Amino acid sequence: MKNTQEYITKNKEKFVQELIELLKIPSISADANYANDVKLTADSVASSLKEAGADNVEICETAGHPIVYAEKIIDANLPTVLVYGHYDVQPADPIDLWTSPPFEPVIKKTEIHPEGAIFARGACDDKGQMFMHVKAFEAMMNANELPCNVKFMIEGEEEVGSTNLAIFVKNNHDKLKADVILVSDTGMLANDTPSITTGLRGLSYVEVEVTGPNRDLHSGLYGGCVANPINILANMIASLHDENNKITIPGFYDKVIDLSDEERAEMAKAPFSKEAYCKALDIDEVMGEAGYSTPERGAIRPTLDVNGIWGGYTGEGAKTVIASQAFAKISMRLVPDQSSEEITNLFVKHFESIAPKGTKVKVTPHHGGEPSVTPIDSVGYKAAAIAYENTFGKKPIPVRSGGSIPIVAMFEKELGLKSILMGFGLDSDAIHSPDEHYGLFNFYKGIETIPHFFVEYTKLLKSK
Ligand code: BES
Ligand code: MN
Ligand code: MN
């Protein structure tokens, strides 16, 4: 590993410059106008894998955006690590709120990142983190120290639900044969508090539409006489939580696996400051389900949130009108053993049942995904823990995350493989938001830590 680490130290500047070039391409998967940029990004990822020394580099076309596949098989008797990441990014809007343009990366110092952070859409989620794997591989290849086989599968549709990747995985069991999956698309607690993500939440996502009268009406002539879809939708949404912030959909909690007191006590050991949390968000109090701490509410408990709501007149001045329709987008984060299909069905049934007379309700489900957990006694977790200890000088804390990467549960179902979630981002890195950034410290630490995982995993698996 000595030569690998030397190569990394020597090439730090080059790595950042290359990442900056990658971040300049606006690979927004959700917007068809950027389809060509998405394709250019796939080409760029494929080239860097080839240059790093990968074999059989392929751009696999799908019904949507392409998947980049590559491999280096050095000995069929050695373990194989399958690296997963995504090169697509979220849309950059609202653009006005960025302090520098989202696709013109710049390095700026912040309080949390005194050595600098790269500001750009995708810097942390997930181009920056995915690219750490390409560079760690390049380093191991150049140092002649790759200890096992590696396969790469980098997709371009994670931010839109990974539908085509799921099909690709189903159709390519042999090609994707591996011993473990390695993913850097999550976060850690703080730069001096390394952690490994041991769980992800699932997701149900629905769009609702409430229709009242057949046309927009004068709010003086008709106000008070007919159901106002916006008033009704607001009421319906408000009724989805009770006074303890529990979700009121019948059956919603039925399948939730409660954590034992021991597990909750273990979780409570991870450092968390409510004051710092509130200060960072400029709020004077937190809010959530009664009986649970903020870290618990954000990781081991299911939630329901409105992500967008619209209808009626929102232009300048005052227009007196009762809209015919009102709309909202609602997400539910799920925990083991909730199923996204079951929860979506429960939502539809309940939401339709609470619509008052005089209104019609339509619910349209969007893509969902299942929750997943990684046990800390697995070989993969142990190898990752040693890797972090080597580079941070501290044992990492296992932490369940509130975010979702639906393909992780799919990997387990289809390939029978657990994923090790070695994420190096911070919650404050503003992923999906204006001014997304990724610390240089985090980028380098990731590149340094990944080769240790390869070495430790190979060692542990051999000695089994
Ligand atoms: N990388 C994130 C998920 C994430 C971030 C997990 C931080 C844990 C910590 C991923 O790209 C993402 O944004 N997922 C979406 C779901 C997807 C189906 C669009 C999410 O969690 O909202
Ligand atoms: Mn991501
Ligand atoms: Mn994302």
Side-chain angles (χ1 to χ4, degrees), residues 123-160:
C124 175
D125 183 13
D126 181 42
K127 281 176 173 165
Q129 296 210 65
M130 172 276 292
F131 203 59
M132 299 181 317
H133 286 272
V134 181
K135 296 297 115 179
F137 171 67
E138 176 185 318
M140 288 187 281
M141 288 298 288
N142 272 275
N144 221 346
E145 288 179 336
L146 182 70
C148 62
N149 305 314
V150 55
K151 294 178 177 178
F152 291 89
M153 179 169 62
I154 314 295
E155 72 155 318
E157 295 190 310
E158 196 278 339
E159 300 292 6
V160 290

Side-chain angles (χ1 to χ4, degrees), residues 42 136 180 275:
V180 72
E275 288 65 43

Side-chain angles (χ1 to χ4, degrees), residues 86 90 125-126 158-161 185-187 197 200 203 333 367-368 401-406 427 431-432:
H86 64 95
Q90 284 275 324
D125 183 13
D126 181 42
E158 196 278 339
E159 300 292 6
V160 290
D185 191 23
T186 53
T197 304
L200 293 163
L203 183 67
R333 296 282 168 169
H367 61 75
S401 169
S404 306
I405 309 177
D427 283 356
I431 63 172
H432 293 204

